[in-house]
Amino acid sequence: MALQAGAGAALVMGRWLLVSTALLGCLYGYLIVSEGVLPCLEYVNIPGILLFIAIWRLAGGYRRELPTIAEGRGDIFPVAVSILRISLGVSLIFLGFSEKILNPHMAMAFLNEFSSVNFMQYFFESFNHRVFILCAGSAEVLFGVIYVLGLVTRLNTIALAFFLVASNSYFFAVGLEHLAWMEFSGHTSLLATALILVVAGRGAPLGARSSVFRGVCVPGGPDKMNRL
């Protein structure tokens, strides 16, 4: 926890970025060894964020400051964004299956205590908690698949951010501040990633170097590429 807090503080200050990302990567590797691969796939967006930061940092060589958007980076920045996008998609897919579709017990216990979270029951009488959990998990998987495929990334991100903000706002509205802050802290990395994807788009398309996509990925021109 001390190593994680120290690396997090360094990232917030923008100092020793490569060292911090390497340290957090080692901690993620330790988590895989101690807990197994499958549980860690739910948080594969974390190494995706670390790779994004490391690539972005290395794009400026070993200078102290980070490279600006206007500087020539070739295809480095779109590739970094793609890693960020795909890792988030894979994480959402595994979360949807592991926490809701295949193992709904935890979600059921939560809804039994906070029944009003299932807002669909007020519109459809037959929309019980199990159906709500299945729909929520399916939506999470769908968000992830869209991210992995690189389709309508900005619209997908805006929709995802809306649901994240709505869930946080609900807990604040009903006076459950402790759950609201816990939810917010858990979603911080997702909201930060969403902000990057809204601004940068999908990044480099899959198979950008293949003949199918030749002429689509414009080196040094991510804005043109992201219009697709």
Side-chain angles (χ1 to χ4, degrees):
M1 291 177 63
L3 292 173
Q4 181 178 340
L11 290 176
V12 170
M13 294 186 295
R15 305 291 300 275
W16 308 297
L17 297 182
L18 293 179
V19 174
S20 300
T21 53
L23 177 58
L24 291 174
C26 291
L27 290 176
Y28 186 81
Y30 171 75
L31 189 64
I32 292 176
V33 173
S34 60
E35 301 295 332
V37 176
L38 289 179
C40 296
L41 288 175
E42 299 176 5
Y43 305 100
V44 74
N45 64 306
I46 299 300
I49 293 172
L50 299 178
L51 282 172
F52 173 83
I53 296 172
I55 293 173
W56 184 236
R57 179 65 184 85
L58 290 172
Y62 288 95
R63 299 175 304 170
R64 185 173 181 178
E65 69 276 5
L66 290 172
T68 63
I69 293 177
E71 290 177 336
R73 301 177 306 257
D75 293 332
I76 291 180
F77 184 68
V79 169
V81 173
S82 293
I83 293 173
L84 191 67
R85 167 178 58 80
I86 293 172
S87 65
L88 174 59
V90 173
S91 177
L92 290 174
I93 291 172
F94 276 95
L95 281 170
F97 277 109
S98 65
E99 290 191 353
K100 296 176 179 68
I101 297 176
L102 299 179
N103 187 25
H105 306 295
M106 186 181 300
M108 277 295 297
F110 177 81
L111 287 177
N112 288 332
E113 185 174 357
F114 305 102
S115 178
S116 58
V117 172
N118 179 9
F119 61 91
M120 292 299 295
Q121 65 184 333
Y122 302 116
F123 300 99
F124 305 98
E125 186 176 351
S126 60
F127 214 97
N128 57 43
H129 292 340
R130 289 190 176 276
V131 176
F132 182 79
I133 293 170
L134 177 62
C135 291
S138 300
E140 205 163 17
V141 171
L142 179 61
F143 279 126
V145 171
I146 292 174
Y147 274 130
V148 171
L149 296 178
L151 304 173
V152 291
T153 298
R154 289 188 173 93
L155 291 178
N156 194 47
T157 302
I158 292 171
L160 176 63
F162 171 79
F163 283 112
L164 295 179
V165 172
S167 64
N168 275 52
S169 301
Y170 166 79
F171 290 125
F172 278 116
V174 298
L176 299 172
E177 287 83 3
H178 65 292
L179 288 178
W181 286 114
M182 183 172 63
E183 187 90 349
F184 176 76
S185 63
H187 289 164
T188 302
S189 60
L190 296 179
L191 292 172
T193 301
L195 179 60
I196 294 172
L197 294 177
V198 166
V199 173
R202 64 173 180 173
L206 292 176
R209 293 299 184 183
S210 68
S211 59
V212 176
F213 293 99
R214 190 169 297 163
V216 175
C217 182
V218 181
D223 292 334
K224 294 182 181 179
M225 177 184 62
N226 288 326
R227 291 175 188 170
L228 299 176

